[in-house]
Amino acid sequence: TQLLEQSPQFLSIQEGENLTVYCNSSSVFSSLQWYRQEPGEGPVLLVTVVTGGEVKKLKRLTFQFGDARKDSSLHITAAQPGDTGLYLCAGNGGTSYGKLTFGQGTILTVHP
Amino acid sequence: DAGVTQSPTHLIKTRGQQVTLRCSPKSGHDTVSWYQQALGQGPQFIFQYYEEEERQRGNFPDRFSGHQFPNYSSELNVNALLLGDSALYLCASSYSTGNFYGYTFGSGTRLTVV
C-alpha cells in the first residue's frame, strides 16, 4: 500500500510570509500532482511533476519533485489571503493509471 | 466548456438505504474515477471506469459499485449505507491516452447518513 505523508497538517501565517509544505513517501511515483481545494468545492489541479528533480513554478508557487520521485514540496513566496485553502499532494503509482494516493492535506490560512 | 458535473450536491440518507450518485465528465474525457473524502482527510480512491468497465478498484467493499454509460457519464451506487459512509464523494475525469497528468474534479456530492 502506497502512503503519502503530508506536513504540516495546519499552517496559519501572516500575509507576506513564505511557507513550505512537504509530501513524503517510501514509494516511488511515476508522477505527482498538487491540488488546491476550497470549502464546498472539488480539488483543482495546480501542477503535475513527472521527472525526478523537476522544479516547476506557477507565479509565487514553486513545486519540486525529489530526485528519487518519492517526495515533493510546495513553496509559496509572499503568501496572500487568496492562497488560503486545503493543499493536497497526490501520487500516481507506476502501474496504476490515475489511481491516486492522496496525502491528508495541509490547511493553509493566510491572515491579512 | 463544461467541467465535471455531479448530482445531487447534497443528500441525506438513512442507515441501511441505498444511494446513487451521478457524474458527467469534462468534454473530451473518457475516464471517470470516484473518490471518497472524509472530513479533514485527503480523498481515497474508490474505483475507475473506462470503456464502460471497472478498470481499477481501491480498498472499498462490494457495497460500492458503479457504472459507466456509452456517453462516458458514470454512476456510483452504495448499498446498505453505514454511518461511516458519510463523506464528500468526488468524481474526477481524465483522458486515457498517454501519460496521466492529473484530473478534473467535480464539486462533489455531500452524503450524510443518519
Side-chain angles (χ1 to χ4, degrees):
Chain A
T1 303
Q2 296 178 315
L3 293 174
L4 266 176
E5 293 186 4
Q6 195 172 334
S7 63
Q9 191 173 352
F10 300 96
L11 260 180
S12 181
I13 62 172
Q14 293 296 126
E15 183 176 1
E17 293 184 3
N18 302 331
L19 66 111
T20 302
V21 178
Y22 299 93
C23 192
N24 296 291
S25 176
S26 58
S27 303
V28 176
F29 293 101
S30 60
S31 67
L32 193 139
Q33 289 95 45
W34 285 90
Y35 293 83
R36 178 167 169 257
Q37 185 177 20
E38 299 198 39
E41 299 293 328
V44 175
L45 180 65
L46 296 175
V47 76
T48 297
V49 285
V50 178
T51 306
E54 183 176 4
V55 176
K56 282 192 173 180
K57 292 191 175 184
L58 185 65
K59 297 183 180 179
R60 294 176 293 101
L61 279 59
T62 301
F63 305 87
Q64 186 162 6
F65 202 13
D67 291 340
R69 291 186 288 134
K70 293 181 179 181
D71 56 271
S72 182
S73 64
L74 157 61
H75 182 80
I76 301 179
T77 303
Q80 299 177 358
D83 295 328
T84 294
L86 173 66
Y87 289 82
L88 294 158
C89 63
N92 184 43
T95 58
S96 308
Y97 178 93
K99 182 180 179 181
L100 296 183
T101 298
F102 277 85
Q104 68 182 96
T106 296
I107 298 175
L108 171 64
T109 304
V110 183
H111 301 280
Chain B
D1 180 20
V4 177
T5 305
Q6 290 189 244
S7 63
T9 55
H10 295 84
L11 203 53
I12 299 176
K13 288 287 189 179
T14 303
R15 190 172 44 182
Q17 285 189 316
Q18 178 265 344
V19 68
T20 297
L21 311 181
R22 295 176 175 81
C23 172
S24 293
K26 180 178 178 179
S27 178
H29 285 181
D30 58 5
T31 301
V32 173
S33 301
W34 288 90
Y35 285 80
Q36 180 195 66
Q37 186 176 24
L39 204 59
Q41 300 294 321
Q44 289 197 335
F45 180 81
I46 302 175
F47 44 53
Q48 182 182 83
Y49 277 84
Y50 171 67
E51 291 188 339
E52 302 180 48
E53 291 190 355
E54 183 182 291
R55 180 160 70 175
Q56 299 184 84
R57 189 178 183 92
N59 295 324
F60 279 80
D62 292 343
R63 297 187 297 108
F64 290 77
S65 63
H67 189 77
Q68 185 179 35
F69 299 94
N71 66 353
Y72 308 123
S73 66
S74 177
E75 289 182 348
L76 163 65
N77 300 292
V78 187
N79 294 322
L81 284 166
L82 304 174
L83 297 179
D85 294 331
S86 295
L88 180 67
Y89 287 85
L90 294 164
C91 172
S93 72
S94 58
Y95 188 51
S96 61
T97 300
N99 295 321
F100 176 75
Y101 286 111
Y103 284 121
T104 300
F105 278 89
S107 296
T109 295
R110 172 70 62 186
L111 173 64
T112 303
V113 182
V114 298

